[in-house]
Amino acid sequence: MADLVADFNDYRTKMNAKLLADNNLIIKRIFNLDTNAYAAGALDVKTKELLGLVASAVLRCDDCVKYHLETAYKAGVSKDEVMEALGIATLVGGTIVVPHLRRAYEFWEALEN
């Protein structure tokens, strides 16, 4: 299962480098805004990552869910906190979120291993 995390990160790193190398000012600014938005402020990093996770699940973006799961994991978010947040995402998003919930659970297990 560790390959799940490595494969995601390898692809993301490779493609982000290609995107940023194209020197598109709008894309660079969006990446920068994203980085700065998740820095500690009035809300701590853990809370912001959980908010990002819920929004990503409701919007059904698996790549986004994986990204926020990993950053949440690195920020010290517990499995219980993640599952509670994903429960809220499923409640808000409806049953269409359930497949994304399954993949999120699988990715979290890979992070723990």
Side-chain angles (χ1 to χ4, degrees), residues 1-95:
M1 253 209 226
D3 288 344
L4 186 64
V5 175
D7 290 348
F8 172 73
N9 284 323
D10 290 346
Y11 178 76
R12 184 175 175 276
T13 299
K14 178 180 85 174
M15 294 312 297
N16 282 353
K18 286 184 177 193
L19 287 167
L20 293 171
D22 246 3
N23 207 27
N24 181 301
L25 185 58
I26 294 169
I27 291 173
K28 284 186 173 189
R29 285 184 174 170
I30 289 170
F31 275 55
N32 183 271
L33 180 62
D34 182 73
T35 298
N36 287 313
Y38 286 94
L43 298 174
D44 62 22
V45 171
K46 288 172 63 171
T47 301
K48 287 183 175 187
E49 288 304 333
L50 290 171
L51 289 169
L53 175 61
V54 169
S56 297
V58 170
L59 291 169
R60 301 184 308 272
C61 175
D62 283 337
D63 279 8
C64 303
V65 168
K66 289 175 183 175
Y67 172 80
H68 288 292
L69 283 171
E70 186 167 8
T71 53
Y73 179 80
K74 289 177 179 176
V77 174
S78 71
K79 182 178 182 178
D80 287 342
E81 290 169 316
V82 165
M83 292 311 299
E84 192 165 323
L86 287 171
I88 296 298
T90 306
L91 173 68
V92 171
T95 56

